[in-house]
Amino acid sequence: MHDLLRTVLAFALVLGVLVFIHELGHYLAARWRGVHVEVFSIGFGKPLLRWHDSVGTEWRLCPVPLGGYVKPHGFEGPEDATPEQIAAWQPGRTFHDKPVLSRAIVIIAGPVFNFLLAIILFTGLFAFAGQPHIRNVVADVMPGSAAASAGIVPHDVIVRLGDHPISDVADLQARVAAEPGAQTDVVVRRDGHDVTIPLTVGSVADAKGQPPHGQLGVSFLAEVGAPQSLPRAFVSAVKETWNVSVQTLAGLWQMLTGQHSTKDLGGPLRIAQMSGQVAQYGLSSLVSFMALLSINLGLINLFPIPILDGGRLMFYILEGIMGRPVSRRVQQISFQAGFALIASLFLFSTFNDLSHFGLFQWLASHVG
């Protein structure tokens, strides 16, 4: 019961903060560009709390913590608005009559604020707790793995794979993953001396019909550096945000091209589980997890999928190029397709989550 409560509270905190910051970006950008904001909602469903601020925006706190939204005044446009809505429009404060650049700024501000949040969280983490690093020093070797068969032992420092010098763990993992079953040499630094070891890279199949990937079967040593000065921590945070973004996009590309299993695609249940798990390791772990999720939320919303921020931004870019809005019919069809795609991804990721939790295996063993 205690673990369940911790998971629920951590999930609500993590997702609530990320959604609030994302929508705050839209809200502040709208105010900056002279657009009145009618509603700022955290969560979905019937509001638990609601109040109006001094500028007339209604703030809502709703029970379903799977997102939120900001409703700019006149967002629907003349073609979709009812006569009552048109009559209530405040001249000069509607979203649809702003220049395309202003509309694009309002839309892109949400993802931008997610990246800014990640930078702020990483800056605080590196300044007060230090920046964690994963070194290419072997911490443990899995029994029966390719590394164990080759004779790699804990405390070995992997410095070369074949003809390729190893710069960091990510570089090593990428090279190993691309060479399943390859026969090569690995150079390790052991007790101050370089030792060359023959190695056959392990081969692991992710799923039926997908190509295998290489695996060594080792874990690496993680260490936390000393706390950094605030300016240095900020620079490190910007670099870390960039690196995580690149690695995330690379992982997604590997899924799309079949190089990696889509079973790793997690949904809200997996996020809830991981929120509870990292919360028990302390504030630093939770802050780091929130920063990673914030980056993912920013990236996802920038994808050029209609219904997401990136899809609307794509329409505004086309409008800026053509000098006129994309036709209403094309936008409607695109938004319907985008909604279907996002719904499918949500269902698929939820299915993955339930499979990860062992629900279907449990059902098969009890129903059969």
Side-chain angles (χ1 to χ4, degrees):
M1 187 65 183
H2 180 267
D3 290 342
L4 177 62
L5 181 61
R6 182 184 62 232
T7 296
V8 171
L9 291 178
F11 178 65
L13 172 66
V14 168
L15 209 58
V17 170
L18 298 188
V19 170
F20 174 76
I21 293 298
H22 180 92
E23 300 304 334
L24 183 65
H26 291 312
Y27 172 80
L28 292 178
R31 293 284 305 274
W32 174 39
R33 307 310 293 181
V35 177
H36 172 59
V37 178
E38 295 180 1
V39 178
F40 189 126
S41 177
I42 301 300
F44 298 109
K46 186 176 181 180
L48 299 174
L49 294 172
R50 66 169 74 192
W51 65 95
H52 287 81
D53 62 19
S54 58
V55 296
T57 299
E58 180 181 307
W59 295 72
R60 299 176 182 175
L61 183 62
C62 302
V64 184
L66 294 179
Y69 63 93
V70 162
K71 185 177 185 300
H73 183 58
F75 185 74
E76 56 280 346
E79 300 86 355
D80 302 312
T82 64
E84 292 78 11
Q85 288 175 317
I86 293 176
W89 281 345
Q90 304 173 22
R93 302 188 68 193
T94 57
F95 179 83
H96 67 265
D97 67 357
K98 293 297 179 181
V100 65
L101 178 60
S102 292
R103 284 177 277 143
I105 289 174
V106 173
I107 292 300
I108 202 174
V112 167
F113 265 54
N114 281 126
F115 292 117
L116 291 177
L117 174 63
I119 292 172
I120 291 171
L121 292 176
F122 279 140
T123 299
L125 185 65
F126 299 163
F128 292 99
Q131 183 175 5
H133 296 279
I134 300 179
R135 298 175 55 200
N136 51 327
V137 179
V138 175
D140 196 17
V141 180
M142 293 173 54
S145 65
S149 300
I152 296 174
V153 297
H155 307 299
D156 281 349
V157 182
I158 300 178
V159 296
R160 183 180 293 271
L161 181 67
D163 297 328
H164 306 288
I166 299 302
S167 58
D168 53 34
V169 171
D171 179 35
L172 174 63
Q173 290 175 332
R175 295 190 183 280
V176 168
E179 301 181 8
Q183 294 184 346
T184 184
D185 293 327
V186 61
V187 177
V188 302
R189 186 160 297 140
R190 182 182 297 170
D191 299 327
H193 302 284
D194 287 353
V195 180
T196 301
I197 303 173
L199 170 74
T200 300
V201 178
S203 181
V204 179
D206 282 324
K208 185 177 179 180
Q210 294 187 339
H213 68 272
Q215 187 179 78
L216 276 185
V218 299
S219 59
F220 293 96
L221 183 66
E223 62 180 15
V224 179
Q228 303 174 3
S229 66
L230 203 57
R232 184 182 174 191
F234 175 77
V235 173
S236 298
V238 173
K239 291 180 179 178
E240 184 70 10
T241 301
W242 172 260
N243 291 335
V244 170
S245 300
V246 171
Q247 292 167 9
T248 300
L249 292 175
L252 178 64
W253 177 252
Q254 290 174 354
M255 286 187 184
L256 293 175
T257 57
Q259 301 175 49
H260 207 282
S261 174
T262 54
K263 289 184 178 180
D264 291 335
L265 185 65
L269 298 179
R270 191 91 60 93
I271 293 174
Q273 180 196 38
M274 294 179 67
S275 299
Q277 290 174 345
V278 298
Q280 67 181 325
Y281 296 122
L283 181 60
S284 294
S285 296
L286 189 60
V287 168
S288 180
F289 181 64
M290 287 177 64
L292 295 175
L293 277 184
S294 192
I295 293 170
N296 278 266
L297 182 59
L299 286 173
I300 289 171
N301 272 280
L302 285 177
F303 291 164
I305 300 174
I307 207 174
L308 295 180
D309 294 334
R312 294 188 180 278
L313 189 61
M314 179 178 62
F315 286 134
Y316 296 151
I317 292 174
L318 292 174
E319 180 179 342
I321 294 173
M322 298 186 302
R324 55 182 174 79
V326 176
S327 73
R328 186 164 172 261
R329 177 63 175 165
V330 170
Q331 292 193 46
Q332 286 179 334
I333 295 175
S334 299
F335 285 133
Q336 291 170 357
F339 178 81
L341 177 60
I342 295 300
S344 299
L345 287 174
F346 178 82
L347 292 174
F348 180 73
S349 62
T350 302
F351 177 85
N352 277 351
D353 291 348
L354 295 175
S355 299
H356 177 76
F357 296 152
L359 174 64
F360 300 117
Q361 293 89 334
W362 181 87
L363 289 175
S365 62
H366 285 72
V367 174

